[in-house]
Amino acid sequence: MAEAEEDCHSEAVREGDDDDENESPAETDLQAQLQRFRAQWMFELAPGGGSGNLESRPCRAARGSLLRAADTRGKQELAKEEKARELFLKAVEEEQNGALYEAIKFYRRAMQLVPDIEFKITYTRSPDGDGVGNSYIEDTDDDSKMADLLSYFQQQLTFQESVLKLCQPELESSQTHISALPMEVLMYVFRWVVSSDLDLRSLEQLSQVCRGFYICARDPEIWRLACLKVWGRSCIKLVPYTSWREMFLERPRVRFDGVYISKTTYIRQGEQSLDGFYRAWHQVEYYRYVRFFPDGHVMMLTTPEEPQSIVPRLRTRNTRTDAILLGHYRLSQDTDNQTKVFAVITKKKEEKTLDHKYRYFRRAPVQEADQNFHVGLQLCSSGHQSFNKLIWIHHSCHITYKSTGETAVTAFEIDKMYTPLLFARVRSYTAFSERPL
């Protein structure tokens, strides 16, 4: 049987060979074309092979669609940047007109579109008017460069005449020039410029007068006194900062050259009409203003009036607005490196006038009580500004009855009505103190 199977297999092989010999030239040409197609296909699949001249139509179409999509995205980015530019310039205009809260709103919308829109705008003039020393808080110069500049100015002063002078008069004058004053007197003048209200912005403006004033404005003693006034004994050591100026600029603190403002808007249901046909709805808007002072005092005011009418009243603590709450605050830094502000605020006591009309009638005595508000806020930064945002943590009311000494505490729930307080700098708040630093 094995021999029979071998005979069948040999016959099948011979028949296959006969079929190959009997193939027509057309079939042979088809096999050759198939081999060439396979070779070309393998060459195109190879890395880097055939991508230059053998690109197919689908590939060209795909690349064309990608180019069109990139062009569309580029146009969209340009349109978004142009919109952000318009909003930012509108915010600058509103700030110059005194509409601080509206300016903050436009600033926020512009930065939501393009976060760095502030650095993409070329001004024909400074948006803040004088444009000198506007942002000493946002000073982003490298500390090493500032130190080199300071040493360079000091060397130039040292290599002058035998008498050390901070500056030289540009024109000859018969009057005494300020460079004739001793260094101690000049430093006392600079302390008056800073004043007890820590007007460091005016100090930065003064440092741009000449090299000598620049050296005086970088005096470590001025910045050390400013740090002690803000943080007290908790800033005795410089670590981890390299200078007192760096500590004042980078360590979290509340700002004194403006007001923290928040705007709250909600809809309240009104009373139903007499005929029961409709019910009114009221849109309520009001503002919260918080003003901090370097000596630890704070003012808070809740009112529906616009910022342009309220902000000038918060310049000093001796305001005549009855609704203002006065108190004191302190800074606290937790283990999670979050700086918080805790304040205790009291309403101004009103002097009650005696009513002599009903002095012969006996009336029930009114129980006297002291009312205090305890506020907790978290200090943080947003955008390109530092320490310009306060987020509510807690708010409670403490009522102490004088007759019994008991205290009733009411804690308010922190909900959407407590919107964050955003900082608005006011130039008129500086240089009005009557005491030096």
Side-chain angles (χ1 to χ4, degrees):
M1 177 170 281
E3 293 177 356
E5 291 179 355
E6 290 178 358
D7 293 338
C8 292
H9 180 67
S10 59
E11 290 178 0
V13 171
R14 285 196 299 270
E15 290 176 358
D17 294 338
D18 295 339
D19 293 338
D20 292 340
E21 293 174 356
N22 296 330
E23 285 182 353
S24 62
E27 294 179 354
T28 304
D29 188 25
L30 182 61
Q31 291 292 335
Q33 291 180 2
L34 183 59
Q35 290 295 334
R36 286 195 302 271
F37 173 75
R38 288 176 178 173
Q40 181 180 354
W41 178 57
M42 294 299 294
F43 178 71
E44 291 179 356
L45 289 180
S51 60
N53 300 323
L54 300 176
E55 187 176 0
S56 61
R57 291 183 178 178
C59 293
R60 288 195 296 270
R63 189 170 64 179
S65 62
L66 290 177
L67 291 176
R68 287 193 296 271
D71 189 23
T72 304
R73 286 195 298 270
K75 292 181 180 179
Q76 292 177 354
E77 292 295 332
L78 289 176
K80 185 186 296 185
E81 183 175 342
E82 185 65 26
K83 180 65 175 177
R85 187 190 307 273
E86 293 178 1
L87 291 173
F88 192 88
L89 294 177
K90 179 67 174 176
V92 172
E93 183 181 355
E94 292 292 340
E95 184 179 2
Q96 292 176 350
N97 295 334
L100 302 179
Y101 192 86
E102 297 298 328
I104 293 175
K105 182 172 65 175
F106 284 116
Y107 279 133
R108 185 183 303 170
R109 290 175 57 188
M111 295 182 66
Q112 285 177 352
L113 293 176
V114 181
D116 56 345
I117 186 60
E118 182 180 359
F119 304 99
K120 294 184 178 182
I121 296 179
T122 303
Y123 300 100
T124 55
R125 65 180 185 89
S126 175
D128 286 335
D130 52 3
V132 181
N134 292 333
S135 55
Y136 73 91
I137 297 297
E138 294 80 16
D139 187 10
T140 56
D141 293 335
D142 187 43
D143 293 335
S144 60
K145 294 182 180 179
M146 298 298 293
D148 295 340
L149 185 61
L150 182 61
S151 61
Y152 174 71
F153 286 167
Q154 289 175 346
Q155 289 176 3
Q156 285 196 339
L157 293 178
T158 304
F159 291 145
Q160 286 181 0
E161 302 175 358
S162 58
V163 180
L164 181 62
K165 291 185 177 181
L166 290 175
C167 53
Q168 298 291 337
E170 185 177 1
L171 301 175
E172 295 183 1
S173 175
S174 59
Q175 299 178 354
T176 303
H177 193 257
I178 192 172
S179 60
L181 295 177
M183 178 66 74
E184 294 79 7
V185 178
L186 280 176
M187 295 308 304
Y188 191 70
V189 172
F190 274 67
R191 289 178 57 184
W192 269 99
V193 171
V194 176
S195 73
S196 59
D197 292 295
L198 298 186
D199 186 7
L200 275 306
R201 177 176 172 270
S202 296
L203 182 67
E204 292 295 303
Q205 290 178 337
L206 193 59
S207 67
Q208 298 183 5
V209 173
C210 62
R211 297 173 181 175
F213 282 15
Y214 184 90
I215 295 174
C216 293
R218 295 299 186 272
D219 183 68
E221 183 64 18
I222 292 180
W223 295 96
R224 187 186 70 85
L225 293 176
C227 293
L228 288 176
K229 196 170 184 63
V230 174
W231 294 286
R233 296 184 178 181
S234 62
C235 66
I236 297 178
K237 297 182 180 180
L238 273 175
V239 180
Y241 305 101
T242 58
S243 64
W244 294 106
R245 184 175 183 273
E246 181 184 354
M247 175 187 287
F248 188 86
L249 296 180
E250 297 185 3
R251 186 172 177 178
R253 58 177 175 80
V254 292
R255 298 179 59 173
F256 312 118
D257 55 341
V259 184
Y260 290 88
I261 306 174
S262 70
K263 181 180 180 181
T264 304
T265 304
Y266 67 94
I267 298 177
R268 179 176 60 85
Q269 186 176 6
E271 296 182 358
Q272 193 172 3
S273 61
L274 297 177
D275 54 1
F277 183 71
Y278 70 94
R279 181 183 296 273
W281 291 84
H282 306 281
Q283 182 177 355
V284 182
E285 291 184 354
Y286 64 91
Y287 297 85
R288 284 192 178 98
Y289 303 89
V290 179
R291 168 89 160 96
F292 295 96
F293 295 91
D295 56 357
H297 287 82
V298 61
M299 293 192 306
M300 178 180 289
L301 175 62
T302 302
T303 176
E305 297 186 43
E306 296 287 337
Q308 52 264 28
S309 61
I310 292 297
V311 167
R313 306 182 195 175
L314 303 180
R315 181 175 179 180
T316 63
R317 293 190 298 270
N318 301 324
T319 179
R320 297 183 178 180
T321 305
D322 297 333
I324 288 183
L325 304 178
L326 302 176
H328 57 276
Y329 72 94
R330 64 180 178 87
L331 297 176
S332 175
Q333 189 169 8
D334 297 339
T335 56
D336 55 356
N337 294 328
Q338 292 184 353
T339 302
K340 299 178 181 179
V341 184
F342 297 98
V344 178
I345 305 173
T346 307
K347 188 176 181 180
K348 296 170 62 175
K349 294 183 178 180
E350 300 178 356
E351 297 182 358
K352 297 181 179 180
T353 58
L354 297 177
D355 191 0
H356 300 283
K357 184 177 181 180
Y358 301 100
R359 63 181 181 273
Y360 298 108
F361 292 90
R362 180 180 297 178
R363 291 185 294 178
V366 179
Q367 191 174 8
E368 296 184 357
D370 293 332
Q371 189 177 17
N372 298 324
F373 294 94
H374 292 235
V375 176
L377 302 165
Q378 180 180 342
L379 181 65
C380 56
S381 303
S382 64
H384 297 285
Q385 296 186 2
S386 301
F387 326 129
N388 64 334
K389 188 176 182 179
L390 292 174
I391 301 177
W392 290 88
I393 301 176
H394 71 82
H395 185 201
S396 60
C397 178
H398 296 242
I399 301 177
T400 303
Y401 298 98
K402 293 183 177 180
S403 58
T404 60
E406 297 179 352
T407 302
V409 180
T410 303
F412 303 103
E413 182 182 359
I414 304 299
D415 53 8
K416 62 181 181 179
M417 306 298 293
Y418 288 85
T419 56
L421 295 140
L422 298 179
F423 181 79
R425 185 176 62 83
V426 183
R427 287 194 294 269
S428 61
Y429 279 1
T430 58
F432 63 88
S433 177
E434 298 181 356
R435 298 189 305 276
L437 178 63

